[in-house]
């Protein structure tokens, strides 16, 4: 019997009562399925429900086969080792006793002599060369993620449940995960914003506020289908809005005709010559007819408004947000950043960056790449003046803006509007509101506390505050801007950056993002 996962009428609400999933019916077979959707649509929640870690508020889950879940951002317990992840500490200890000649006959009967080779094979499959007794605390975050994934593969589940497996991984780590899934022959449900990884999927399931929709094929096929759906939704909205306007126009014309008839009746009454009883009957008939027509018009207007609202909601779900960045006026060829013989880091005895010469001219788009630990974030800190070099010179010509992974330019205790005013104290209230509206923070949305924003909203708010002033920066520096963003938010940022005419310096492991923002040059840092 093939491994299957079936979800029937699944609903789940957050502790505050907010509905996250509602009436979902989904089934998964032994294929690789990408699970996509905007942040907050319940992707991670759905994985935890399937894994049995979270009971649904309503509905049922039927799992035929074994599942193994890779969570996001798991903190390693103190003293945990790679062997602990694999759940084989006791079995390895038995083999070690056997090698020392200390094992009993019963021990030897239970020994798994293939264990060490199978552990090594699982680690190698994820590009790791570490011993089973290696403490997790000595591994980087990306290495820990790969070790956890190797442990899941070692268990040979019928379904892998992976929640953003390539987050915080360098290029090598991303390629290892992609290679694993490309050759995975059991089932997999993968929550990811990594479009390269999603290209290896057999199917895509999208979660939206309207529910779940399954698409056969990989990311490219899904994107094509979505473009067609969006075009159809815009057409339906145009038709619905035209119908709504036509109904309103016809209702208005009918009301005007009825008003003219009523006016004519009143004139006849004033002129006399019509028996009183007949006038009364004519009045009753007119009122009855007018009331019936008014109710009919009201019902038709209500129906047309509902159809237009439904069509509008569908477009809003399908259509990604867009942002527009004002021009910088940066002349082509002007040097905006020069680093000469720069050596720096956090320990003078072991600098991360050594003797770096680097010049950036407008409007170049430069990506800083390299494996984790090679000093990419350190280079950005040196370039933006957050870190003084041990040696060498850093020169910046023009205005510079830096958005790090945590968007620390924003004060989380303040609202978006308050942050904007803090960064642009001379801006008028109208200018503040207009600038934030360009980034889709209109009316009460501008009053939201920064601490309550999602990752995509936080980055958008940071861009709004950076680019909303009287003069946008000549150089924008970004550190891993796509980490923790959903794909819709990534595409929004891509669209905005494509329209930016200043210089750009960005650290990112997302190759599709770098391609889509038009990177023209790369600075490759060697492994540390």
């Amino acid at each position: 019997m093939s491994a299957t996962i079936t979800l029937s009428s699944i609903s789940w609400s957050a502790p505050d009562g907010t509905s996250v999933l509602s009436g979902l019916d989904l089934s998964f077979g032994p294929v690789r399925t990408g699970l996509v959707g905007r942040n907050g649509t319940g992707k991670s929640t759905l994985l935890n429900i399937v894994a049995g870690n979270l009971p649904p508020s309503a509905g049922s889950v039927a799992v035929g086969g074994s599942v193994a879940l890779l969570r996001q951002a798991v903190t390693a317990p103190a003293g945990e080792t790679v062997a602990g992840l694999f759940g084989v500490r006791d079995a390895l200890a038995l083999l070690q006793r056997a090698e020392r000649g200390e094992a009993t006959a019963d021990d030897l009967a239970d020994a798994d002599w293939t264990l060490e080779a199978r552990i090594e094979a699982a680690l190698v499959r994820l590009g790791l060369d570490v011993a089973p007794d290696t403490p997790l605390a000595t591994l980087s975050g990306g290495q820990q993620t790969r070790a956890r994934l190797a442990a899941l593969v070692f268990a040979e589940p019928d379904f892998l449940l992976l929640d953003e497996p390539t987050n915080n991984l360098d290029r090598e780590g991303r390629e290892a995960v992609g290679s694993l899934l490309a050759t995975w022959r059991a089932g997999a449900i993968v929550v990811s914003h990594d479009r390269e990884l999603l290209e290896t999927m057999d199917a895509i399931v999208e979660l939206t506020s309207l529910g779940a929709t399954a698409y056969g094929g990989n990311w490219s096929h899904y994107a094509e289908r979505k473009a067609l759906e969006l075009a159809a939704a815009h057409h339906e909205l145009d038709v619905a809005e035209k119908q709504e306007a036509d109904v309103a126009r016809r209702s208005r014309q009918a009301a005007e005709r009825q008003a003219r008839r009523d006016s004519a009746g009143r004139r006849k009454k004033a002129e006399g010559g019509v028996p009183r009883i007949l006038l009364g009957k004519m009045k009753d008939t007119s009122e009855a007819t007018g009331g019936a027509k008014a109710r009919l018009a009201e019902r038709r207007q209500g129906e047309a408004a509902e159809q237009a609202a439904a069509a509008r909601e569908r477009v809003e779900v399908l259509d990604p947000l867009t942002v527009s960045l004002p021009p910088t006026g940066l002349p082509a060829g002007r040097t905006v950043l020069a680093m000469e013989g720069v050596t720096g880091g956090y320990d003078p005895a072991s600098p991360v960056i050594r003797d770096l010469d680097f010049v950036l001219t407008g409007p170049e788009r430069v990506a800083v790449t390299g494996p984790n630990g090679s000093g990419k974030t350190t280079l950005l800190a040196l370039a933006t003046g957050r870190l003084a070099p041990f040696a060498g010179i850093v020169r910046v010509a023009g205005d510079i803006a830096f958005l790090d992974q945590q968007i620390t330019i924003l004060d989380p205790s303040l609202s978006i509007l308050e942050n904007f005013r803090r960064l642009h104290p001379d801006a008028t209230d109208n200018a503040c509101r207009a600038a934030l509206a360009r980034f889709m923070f209109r009316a009460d949305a501008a009053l939201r506390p920064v601490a309550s924003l999602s990752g995509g909203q936080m980055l958008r708010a940071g861009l709004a505050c950076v680019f909303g002033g009287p003069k946008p920066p000549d150089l924008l520096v970004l550190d891993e801007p796509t980490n923790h963003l959903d794909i819709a938010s990534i595409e929004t940022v891509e669209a905005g950056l494509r329209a930016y005419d200043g210089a750009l310096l960005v650290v990112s492991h997302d190759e599709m993002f770098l391609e889509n923002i038009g990177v023209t040059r790369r600075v490759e840092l060697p492994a540390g």
Side-chain angles (χ1 to χ4, degrees):
M1 179 180 174
S2 296
T4 58
I5 296 173
T6 303
L7 297 93
S8 302
S9 302
I10 291 294
S11 296
W12 187 84
S13 297
D16 64 0
T18 302
S19 177
V20 178
L21 301 173
S22 179
L24 286 187
D25 293 307
L26 283 171
S27 61
F28 300 92
V31 297
R32 299 159 299 183
T33 301
L35 188 60
V36 302
R38 292 177 179 170
N39 289 342
T41 54
K43 302 183 297 294
S44 297
T45 298
L46 189 60
L47 286 193
N48 277 291
I49 289 174
V50 171
N53 298 330
L54 189 66
S57 304
S60 62
V61 181
V63 178
S66 57
V67 300
L69 172 64
L70 179 75
R71 295 186 180 91
Q72 289 190 59
V74 177
T75 302
E80 182 68 284
T81 64
V82 171
L85 286 181
F86 282 69
V88 295
R89 267 192 294 233
D90 292 343
L92 285 175
L94 187 156
L95 291 178
Q96 291 166 1
R97 290 199 304 273
E99 290 174 359
R100 295 193 302 267
E102 300 172 358
T104 66
D106 289 340
D107 287 341
L108 294 175
D110 293 335
D112 179 356
W113 302 103
T114 68
L115 181 60
E116 291 177 320
R118 289 190 293 115
I119 292 173
E120 182 181 1
L123 290 168
V124 168
R125 195 170 180 183
L126 272 299
L128 283 177
D129 182 16
V130 296
D133 61 353
T134 302
L136 290 183
T138 65
L139 302 180
S140 69
Q143 289 174 321
Q144 288 188 33
T145 296
R146 284 194 271 168
R148 289 191 178 89
L149 190 49
L152 299 190
V153 171
F154 175 80
E156 299 182 344
D158 294 300
F159 280 95
L160 286 175
L161 309 178
L162 308 181
D163 197 356
E164 296 288 3
T166 59
N167 259 13
N168 302 313
L169 294 189
D170 57 20
R171 190 69 204 159
E172 180 185 359
R174 285 175 175 243
E175 289 175 352
V177 174
S179 176
L180 166 69
L181 283 170
T183 58
W184 186 251
R185 293 296 172 257
I189 305 175
V190 184
V191 171
S192 182
H193 65 258
D194 185 337
R195 290 161 291 184
E196 284 186 274
L197 187 65
L198 293 171
E199 285 289 355
T200 67
M201 299 292 104
D202 303 304
I204 301 290
V205 170
E206 182 188 34
L207 288 184
T208 70
S209 59
L210 302 179
T213 306
Y215 299 81
N218 61 8
W219 172 260
S220 294
H221 182 265
Y222 158 81
E224 291 173 3
R225 289 281 305 277
K226 290 291 291 182
L228 292 174
E229 287 182 9
L230 180 57
H234 275 292
H235 176 71
E236 289 173 6
L237 177 58
D238 289 342
V239 171
E241 289 181 336
K242 183 177 183 300
Q243 183 178 0
E244 185 180 26
D246 287 344
V247 168
R249 177 177 51 79
R250 288 196 297 270
S251 297
R252 186 174 60 254
Q253 290 172 344
E256 290 170 352
R257 286 194 296 270
Q258 183 63 42
R260 287 196 294 271
R261 285 193 292 268
D262 292 345
S263 177
R266 286 193 294 272
R267 283 199 304 273
K268 286 184 178 181
K269 180 180 179 180
E271 292 168 357
V274 180
R276 186 180 299 274
I277 188 171
L278 184 57
L279 283 173
K281 185 175 181 181
M282 291 170 62
K283 178 182 178 183
D284 292 343
T285 301
S286 175
E287 290 178 349
T289 302
K293 288 181 177 179
R295 288 191 294 274
L296 177 61
E298 185 178 351
R299 187 177 77 250
R300 286 176 175 171
Q301 284 182 292
E303 291 172 351
E306 287 178 5
Q307 291 173 357
R312 199 169 293 113
E313 181 182 9
R314 182 165 173 75
V315 167
E316 288 173 354
V317 168
L318 291 170
D319 206 1
L321 296 174
T322 56
V323 296
S324 59
L325 305 185
T328 64
L330 178 65
R334 173 180 291 177
T335 297
V336 293
L337 173 65
M339 304 176 75
E340 301 174 9
V342 170
T343 295
Y346 301 92
D347 181 0
S350 56
V352 180
I353 302 295
R354 296 175 182 271
D355 300 319
L356 176 69
D357 293 314
F358 170 59
V359 175
L360 194 157
T361 59
E364 275 192 303
R365 293 161 180 257
V366 180
V368 181
T369 59
N372 288 343
S374 59
K376 300 184 295 298
T377 297
T378 302
L379 188 155
L380 297 190
L382 290 165
T384 56
R386 297 193 169 204
L387 188 64
F390 301 140
I393 299 173
V394 178
R395 287 196 294 268
V396 177
D399 299 322
I400 183 172
F402 178 43
L403 295 180
D404 56 12
Q405 294 185 46
Q406 290 74 40
I407 317 297
T408 52
I409 192 174
L410 301 178
D411 184 338
S413 67
L414 301 178
S415 70
I416 302 171
L417 182 60
E418 289 168 336
N419 270 287
F420 189 95
R421 286 174 171 155
R422 176 177 61 85
L423 295 169
H424 304 288
D426 296 331
T428 65
D429 186 66
N430 284 341
C432 291
R433 290 285 188 173
L436 294 178
R438 288 203 303 272
F439 289 81
M440 309 303 166
F441 294 113
R442 298 187 177 93
D444 290 346
L447 305 179
R448 290 187 59 183
V450 165
S452 71
L453 302 180
S454 68
Q457 292 167 335
M458 184 92 72
L459 180 58
R460 190 153 42 94
L463 289 170
C465 289
V466 165
F467 285 96
K471 184 183 182 303
D474 300 313
L475 171 61
L476 176 62
V477 181
L478 300 172
D479 189 6
E480 292 287 3
T482 63
N483 268 9
H484 310 296
L485 299 193
D486 57 45
I487 295 174
S489 297
I490 293 174
E491 291 176 340
T492 297
V493 173
E494 288 173 348
L497 293 181
R498 281 196 297 269
Y500 173 57
D501 67 349
L504 186 64
L505 183 63
V506 57
V507 167
S508 178
H509 294 297
D510 188 334
E511 282 296 320
M512 192 171 290
F513 173 76
L514 295 177
E515 178 182 344
N516 288 344
I517 64 173
V519 163
T520 54
R521 183 159 62 98
R522 293 174 185 247
V523 175
E524 180 73 26
L525 299 182

